[in-house]
Amino acid sequence: MSEDLSTLRQEIENTPLDAEEAIDAFRIRFLSRKQGVVTALMKRIPEIAPEDRKAYGQDVNALKQRVEERLEGAQQALASGPSAGGGRIDVTLPGRPVPEGSLHPLTETMDLIVHVFTSYGFQIAEGTEVEDDWHNFTALNFPDDHPARDMQDTFFIEEGKTLLRTHTSPVQIRVMKSQEPPVRVIVPGRVYRNEAISYKSYCLFHQVEGLYVDKDVTMADLKQILHAFARTLFGHDVRMRFRPSFFPFTEPSAEVDIWWQDPDLPGGGRWLEILGCGMVDPNVLEAVNVDPEVYTGYAFGMGVERIAMLRYGIDDIRTLYENDVRFLKQFTS
Ligand code: DAH
């Protein structure tokens, strides 16, 4: 091999080919049709003296082959290499952050509530969000002139007939119609009310309803399960109280409050209502052909937003529906 050719050979072997631009420049320098160095050497073959031609041709061909091999190798390394810029990895670069998702605080709270009750043997039941007046009101012992039946509180689809359910209680009726006692269900779901939207009320929200109907179910059973529930959600030393109340579908009825400690308040805290409950009214059992002389039951219902707001210290219900990532990111665990 002549001296010229061996210098070229060295250049071919030693040119770094670690980036797209370098590879292109290399191809042009050696193989371009017009000014490629190896192309020019090939073109000269016919001019070489016949006795030297064979050896020269072989040398030039070998060079061409090396150029092609290096090009191919470099292309492959680039395509499979870890970084597009070349075959080398800078191990000192910080990693790219992977965006982390999280459960919405409502989902998290709902899941936790459902978990407490399913672990006590409750089954999950679901009804429909579009409900009829009978399931939503009549069968639940609402008198005809009850204010909740008013257009102002209820989104009617057809007035007096179909509506968006205002609570999850109609699922009590649906379950008892389709299943004989014993019945023990928990009903998570979405409900709708025609209310002015503000920091404390929204036109839709979530409830979890509970129903247990069997022989000899008593208010003591109700207190026991709700106490277990409150301890799981608000801590083992939670203080709770049952306050007499009224709901058309339970008798007696109660509201449950928990003591919310807050050193800024006079008295060091205050009672906050978390749910409504009671013993299933005999009229409700009769509406679904369950004999109230044989069976008794308890029911309870709670607003999930309210409980989530208490747990997380959220003071405006609307933030739960705005999908603002700055808000939601705070719940990434
Ligand atoms: N349905 C009631 C509401 O939306 C909540 C409720 C209260 C449900 C007492 C119950 C219950 O099952 O026993 O305000």
Side-chain angles (χ1 to χ4, degrees):
M1 192 180 279
S2 76
E3 212 174 302
D4 278 1
L5 293 195
S6 57
T7 329
L8 266 185
R9 173 93 195 203
Q10 273 177 18
E11 188 188 337
I12 289 167
E13 295 304 336
N14 298 333
T15 309
L17 296 182
D18 52 6
E20 197 91 50
E21 304 77 49
I23 296 174
D24 280 346
F26 184 80
R27 181 186 297 107
I28 291 166
R29 164 138 174 80
F30 292 107
L31 296 184
S32 125
R33 263 209 229 159
K34 282 196 182 144
Q35 50 256 85
V37 179
V38 175
T39 321
L41 292 175
M42 308 268 304
K43 280 187 191 152
R44 276 178 49 204
I45 294 178
E47 299 161 16
I48 302 293
E51 63 275 22
D52 298 331
R53 201 173 293 155
K54 189 171 173 207
Y56 176 85
Q58 280 173 349
D59 285 349
V60 174
N61 257 324
L63 279 187
K64 184 172 180 228
Q65 211 174 332
R66 270 310 287 155
V67 171
E68 284 167 352
E69 280 167 7
R70 284 222 61 207
L71 278 172
E72 199 176 322
Q75 292 288 8
Q76 271 173 12
L78 201 64
S80 61
S83 65
R88 293 187 199 145
I89 310 170
D90 182 352
V91 290
T92 63
L93 278 177
R96 295 203 186 110
V98 179
E100 196 182 344
S102 59
L103 287 179
H104 191 280
L106 274 181
T107 312
E108 196 270 344
T109 306
M110 185 95 119
D111 286 354
L112 181 60
I113 298 170
V114 169
H115 170 78
V116 172
F117 292 103
T118 51
S119 68
Y120 279 96
F122 282 70
Q123 310 258 303
I124 297 174
E126 277 178 0
T128 51
E129 291 180 23
V130 174
E131 194 44 284
D132 57 57
D133 182 275
W134 188 78
H135 286 88
N136 197 80
F137 295 127
T138 310
L140 287 166
N141 202 33
F142 278 77
D144 283 344
D145 57 356
H146 194 281
R149 288 176 178 248
D150 201 312
M151 288 278 283
Q152 257 149 35
D153 296 315
T154 304
F155 287 113
F156 277 101
I157 291 166
E158 196 179 338
E159 204 185 328
K161 263 186 153 174
T162 25
L163 45 86
L164 293 178
R165 68 179 177 196
T166 57
H167 51 174
T168 42
S169 305
V171 186
Q172 292 187 26
I173 304 298
R174 292 195 172 271
V175 170
M176 286 193 283
K177 272 203 320 186
S178 66
Q179 195 185 322
E180 305 249 303
V183 167
R184 189 160 25 180
V185 291
I186 191 86
V187 185
R190 196 183 281 191
V191 303
Y192 301 83
R193 289 207 195 149
N194 195 355
E195 284 184 36
I197 292 172
S198 72
Y199 72 95
K200 59 176 180 176
S201 53
Y202 204 69
C203 50
L204 71 91
F205 55 99
H206 297 77
Q207 287 188 335
V208 175
E209 186 89 11
L211 174 71
Y212 178 32
V213 180
D214 201 350
K215 290 178 179 150
D216 304 323
V217 178
T218 68
M219 195 114 183
D221 298 322
L222 174 64
K223 286 185 99 166
Q224 181 270 334
I225 193 102
L226 291 180
H227 199 200
F229 158 76
R231 280 213 296 249
T232 306
L233 267 91
F234 299 105
H236 208 72
D237 50 0
V238 67
R239 278 174 70 198
M240 65 185 281
R241 71 175 185 192
F242 279 65
R243 185 167 34 80
S245 184
F246 174 80
F247 299 102
F249 36 90
T250 43
E251 180 58 35
S253 305
E255 280 173 310
V256 171
D257 302 333
I258 57 164
W259 178 252
W260 196 255
Q261 246 159 351
D262 183 347
D264 294 340
L265 291 174
R270 63 184 165 132
W271 290 103
L272 284 177
E273 182 220 316
I274 56 161
L275 57 86
C277 62
M279 300 305 291
V280 180
D281 193 292
N283 290 343
V284 174
L285 295 175
E286 269 167 12
V288 289
N289 295 320
V290 171
D291 187 348
E293 297 296 328
V294 181
Y295 293 103
T296 51
Y298 65 64
F300 55 85
M302 63 188 91
V304 182
E305 277 74 357
R306 189 176 171 79
I307 292 177
M309 288 166 78
L310 280 175
R311 293 184 72 223
Y312 292 113
I314 298 168
D315 53 13
D316 187 333
I317 193 172
R318 293 168 293 196
T319 54
L320 292 169
Y321 292 99
E322 281 163 356
N323 283 335
D324 184 331
V325 281
R326 289 168 303 177
F327 169 75
L328 295 173
K329 266 191 177 160
Q330 300 175 70
F331 304 97
T332 314
S333 51

